[in-house]
Amino acid sequence: MSFSHSPDKSNAAGTEPRSGLRVLQITDPHLMADPAGELLGVNTRDSLDAVIALIQVEESEPDVVVVSGDIAQDGSEAAYRAFQDRMTAFSCPVIWFAGNHDNVEVMQSVIGGTGAARKRLVLGGWQLIFLDSSVPGKVHGELTPSELAFLEASLSEHPDLPALIALHHHPVDIDCDWMSDIGLRNRDELMQIVSQHGQVRGVLWGHIHQQWENCQGSVRLMATPSTCIQFAPESSGFSVDGLAPGYRWLELFSDGDIASHVRRATDFEFSIDMNSQGY
């Protein structure tokens, strides 16, 4: 498996190249036990394969891959095994955590005790923290008291390291009315912890099937397109977008700066049910 070489980024003055910790985020693949399984007309295994193929052309080998939930649409072991097989494309750590469609028990039967189930990484001068916001049987998210305590303890342990927090559900308003009730319910508790630890430089999530970026003080807030179907931004009701599947690339610099871009597999041919009222 080969990767292209992405050039080092330049500093603000544009005079000296610099490189940081290379993080790849893929999210919401919605795989199924059936290899022919489709979501609103899109074969989710084929779309994931197209995204991985694009990554191999466009990016250098990442230092870590973050998979931010909804790995399986049907919660089946076969779907998780299919995803696990595809992650062998990367020689770096690949971290999974659950979304609302995932069956946590089944997923843990596949990755429990492996590196994929790690809750945090201290790597390249950064601390990366992975939170489970899934609620069994519910679409919305919530961080349990133990997850919040874990986050607080992790940040307190490494106050001098810039930190990136990743979870599945969106912790801020994204101006999509139909998604307002299916985000993170106790977002205020999360953001209070973030505000009390100045080393947090980024919060990263999936779930919303679209690119979204903003800042809250010095904290970058980022959501990433799904590797399958996309949702239309700023929509009042459920609405599908015709954009291609994609991924996010982040470069985390030692001074806490974050460079990031999103790319889409525009060569992937698909036909999506634009009139769907849900999935």
Side-chain angles (χ1 to χ4, degrees):
M1 202 60 64
S2 62
F3 286 80
S4 66
H5 176 71
S6 294
D8 292 339
K9 310 298 183 191
S10 296
N11 66 8
T15 57
E16 297 179 4
R18 59 174 181 160
S19 61
L21 183 70
R22 301 181 302 274
V23 178
L24 168 67
Q25 182 198 11
I26 57 177
T27 192
D28 297 84
H30 291 268
L31 300 189
M32 305 175 202
D34 182 359
E38 294 183 347
L39 193 63
L40 305 190
V42 176
N43 182 298
T44 58
R45 294 197 188 194
D46 288 349
S47 60
L48 175 59
D49 289 343
V51 169
I52 293 172
L54 178 65
I55 293 165
Q56 292 167 343
V57 170
E58 294 292 340
E59 311 294 351
S60 58
E61 173 75 33
D63 295 311
V64 60
V65 178
V66 177
V67 186
S68 49
D70 279 359
I71 295 157
Q73 170 71 7
D74 58 6
S76 66
E77 180 178 347
Y80 294 120
R81 295 291 182 192
F83 186 79
Q84 188 177 49
D85 288 345
R86 282 159 171 78
M87 291 301 98
T88 61
F90 307 103
S91 60
C92 65
V94 180
I95 310 298
W96 310 12
F97 48 86
N100 53 286
H101 283 274
D102 288 307
N103 184 312
V104 175
E105 183 177 342
V106 176
M107 189 174 80
Q108 286 300 314
S109 75
V110 174
I111 66 169
T114 74
R118 280 177 288 192
K119 295 283 294 175
R120 66 172 176 162
L121 283 175
V122 176
L123 185 69
W126 278 71
Q127 181 174 205
L128 311 181
I129 302 171
F130 315 109
L131 301 176
D132 180 1
S133 60
S134 66
V135 180
K138 303 295 183 182
V139 180
H140 70 262
E142 187 167 354
L143 294 171
T144 64
S146 62
E147 284 292 281
L148 292 168
F150 167 75
L151 173 62
E152 174 69 45
S154 298
L155 292 171
S156 297
E157 184 178 349
H158 295 286
D160 299 325
L161 291 181
L164 177 72
I165 299 167
L167 69 165
H168 180 68
H169 292 83
H170 50 293
V172 294
D173 181 22
I174 60 163
D175 297 322
C176 243
D177 291 347
W178 70 274
M179 285 188 151
S180 61
D181 291 330
I182 62 170
L184 188 71
R185 289 285 174 90
N186 57 343
R187 60 184 63 181
D188 290 345
E189 293 176 73
L190 169 63
M191 300 312 288
Q192 182 178 13
I193 293 174
V194 169
S195 69
Q196 292 171 347
H197 294 271
Q199 78 269 32
V200 177
R201 296 305 178 90
V203 180
L204 184 68
W205 64 89
H207 190 51
I208 67 172
H209 288 234
Q210 60 191 269
Q211 179 179 356
W212 192 93
E213 299 177 26
N214 208 333
C215 289
Q216 186 167 305
S218 61
V219 181
R220 289 277 297 273
L221 305 173
M222 296 166 283
T224 298
S226 165
T227 66
C228 61
I229 65 169
Q230 312 305 312
F231 298 149
E234 300 180 2
S235 53
S236 57
F238 181 87
S239 183
V240 180
D241 200 331
L243 290 173
Y247 67 91
R248 181 180 291 276
W249 183 266
L250 304 97
E251 197 157 7
L252 310 182
F253 299 104
S254 59
D255 62 359
D257 190 21
I258 299 175
S260 183
H261 62 254
V262 166
R263 287 195 171 107
R264 296 180 184 270
T266 54
D267 290 340
F268 175 63
E269 296 183 0
F270 63 98
S271 178
I272 188 168
D273 180 6
M274 300 295 292
N275 296 316
S276 173
Q277 298 302 305
Y279 71 100

